[in-house]
Amino acid sequence: MKFCPRCEEVKPLEAFSKNRSSRSGVHGYCKPCHTKVCAENRVLNHGSGRNYLLKLRYGITEQEADAILAAQGGVCVICLRQPAAHVDHDHVIGRVRGMLCFKCNNGLGQFEDEVWRLEDAADYLEGRGSHARRLWLEFDATTIVGRSRRHLEVMYGVARADALGSARHYKLRERYGLTEAEADSLVALQGGLCAICGDREPEHIDHCHDSEAVRGALCLGCNSGMGLLGDDPGTIRRAAAYLDGSLVTEVPVDGGGVRLSFTLPDVDPAGVGKDGWERVRDEDVRRRKALRDAAWEAEWCFGGPFADPFAQALVGSAR
């Protein structure tokens, strides 16, 4: 038994946290009181618990975090839709990059802060890249619908599952319209690797939530990361630009000083307002897609060194 001087109660030793540096082997206060004392000390020494955690995790103060948020106009710098509530930092060098919403911050983590995976994910959603080309060669389409699903079975000579299929068969059929054999054929068509990153085992069937068309089989990280970023190629491209350092820049302002710029065309975040970001975002996404389309056309379609009938058909259908 031990006496806690804060709550003034005698409690069993199990009610106290262990402390090998003390003579008794436990802390002087019981566990609930010890938690309260630590919280009070953080406020006393650091001003607030939030300030303590910001300095501990990111090396910035509460005032510096609020200044970053104000410079962004209060909005997540990637999706431009949700309020920014999380400090994002480079896990290698520890540098703070900006303030993000919960989904964008976690989406970057699922993609392991890899720019190339984000760029490939955006191409995947827009029906570009090696996976889309492979599907186009097999099915004359960049997604799997209708006859394409049955063709997966014909390609690999597997029989269609009977009525008494496995639990996985029923789950796949209910969610994606695929049988178990068709899903296995899709994975085999991809060489047993994720359709985006190409270096992990695919664990999930990915499909468009609007058209219900199956796009491919993905690993957990790519599938979760795309979901957190809304399956939106515009947001994913902004996330890639954010990581490579080209999204957020500083521009001079009249009278001296600088402000942040992270949209195309450039707008002052302080002048957008809470209800104006959707319009700004739509224009930004439209311009970034136009730049990507122009680069794709120059590289793969007409006059580029890698002229490809698939790319020409893709650009032609988009027009």
Side-chain angles (χ1 to χ4, degrees):
M1 306 294 287
K2 181 176 174 62
F3 176 74
C4 174
R6 182 180 176 90
C7 61
E8 298 182 346
E9 294 183 16
V10 177
K11 298 181 177 181
L13 285 177
E14 291 77 13
F16 297 79
S17 299
K18 293 183 178 181
N19 182 7
R20 289 183 296 179
S21 64
S22 68
R23 180 177 298 179
S24 62
V26 296
H27 282 288
Y29 299 110
C30 64
K31 292 178 181 178
C33 291
H34 181 72
T35 300
K36 293 178 182 178
V37 168
C38 289
E40 292 170 357
N41 287 338
R42 289 174 183 174
V43 173
L44 180 65
N45 297 326
H46 301 282
S48 68
R50 177 173 179 253
N51 195 47
Y52 166 77
L53 291 175
L54 286 170
K55 291 196 292 184
L56 177 67
R57 294 177 181 175
Y58 311 112
I60 62 174
T61 65
E62 191 172 12
Q63 292 73 25
E64 290 172 328
D66 291 339
I68 296 173
L69 182 61
Q72 294 180 192
V75 72
C76 171
V77 77
I78 290 180
C79 68
L80 301 180
R81 282 177 171 159
Q82 300 296 325
H86 297 268
V87 176
D88 171 60
H89 71 296
D90 189 314
H91 292 267
V92 177
I93 63 177
R95 176 178 60 86
V96 172
R97 293 183 292 217
M99 299 283 286
L100 305 178
C101 67
F102 173 81
K103 288 187 176 181
C104 288
N105 190 46
N106 280 271
L108 295 184
Q110 291 295 330
F111 281 111
E112 299 178 357
D113 285 2
E114 293 179 327
V115 175
W116 67 270
R117 284 178 69 186
L118 286 160
E119 292 175 341
D120 286 354
D123 283 344
Y124 167 84
L125 287 170
E126 292 177 345
R128 312 176 197 259
S130 59
H131 175 70
R133 184 178 292 103
R134 182 165 49 221
L135 294 184
W136 184 75
L137 291 172
E138 290 290 345
F139 313 124
D140 291 328
T142 56
T143 56
I144 300 174
V145 292
R147 289 184 304 170
S148 301
R149 292 171 173 166
R150 294 300 303 273
H151 183 54
L152 285 170
E153 295 179 344
V154 175
M155 284 173 53
Y156 291 92
V158 294
R160 191 166 181 81
D162 56 25
L164 300 177
S166 65
R168 177 171 176 257
H169 163 73
Y170 280 107
K171 179 180 178 181
L172 289 167
R173 189 178 63 178
E174 180 181 3
R175 291 189 177 181
Y176 313 112
L178 291 178
T179 67
E180 188 171 15
E182 289 167 341
D184 292 339
S185 298
L186 175 60
V187 173
L189 176 66
Q190 297 177 189
L193 297 172
C194 172
I196 292 179
C197 66
D199 59 2
R200 293 169 177 81
E201 181 180 352
E203 304 174 53
H204 300 273
I205 299 296
D206 170 58
H207 74 298
C208 175
H209 294 270
D210 295 325
S211 67
E212 301 299 326
V214 172
R215 292 183 291 226
L218 306 179
C219 67
L220 175 62
C222 290
N223 189 60
S224 299
M226 285 206 317
L228 287 165
L229 295 173
D231 281 3
D232 181 1
T235 299
I236 294 174
R237 291 205 186 283
R238 285 184 58 83
Y242 172 79
L243 288 178
D244 70 22
S246 63
L247 179 68
V248 183
T249 58
E250 292 183 343
V251 297
V253 296
D254 296 337
V258 295
R259 65 167 175 82
L260 294 184
S261 171
F262 45 85
T263 57
L264 295 176
D266 171 48
V267 297
D268 185 353
V272 175
K274 183 179 179 180
D275 299 326
W277 282 111
E278 192 66 27
R279 174 184 55 80
V280 173
R281 182 191 180 281
D282 290 344
E283 179 63 18
D284 176 272
V285 169
R286 186 188 69 80
R287 293 204 179 196
R288 291 181 190 276
K289 186 177 186 304
L291 291 173
R292 175 56 181 160
D293 289 344
W296 173 272
E297 185 171 337
E299 182 178 4
W300 292 102
C301 296
F302 314 107
F306 310 105
D308 185 353
F310 161 68
Q312 295 173 8
L314 182 63
V315 172
S317 63
R319 289 173 173 170

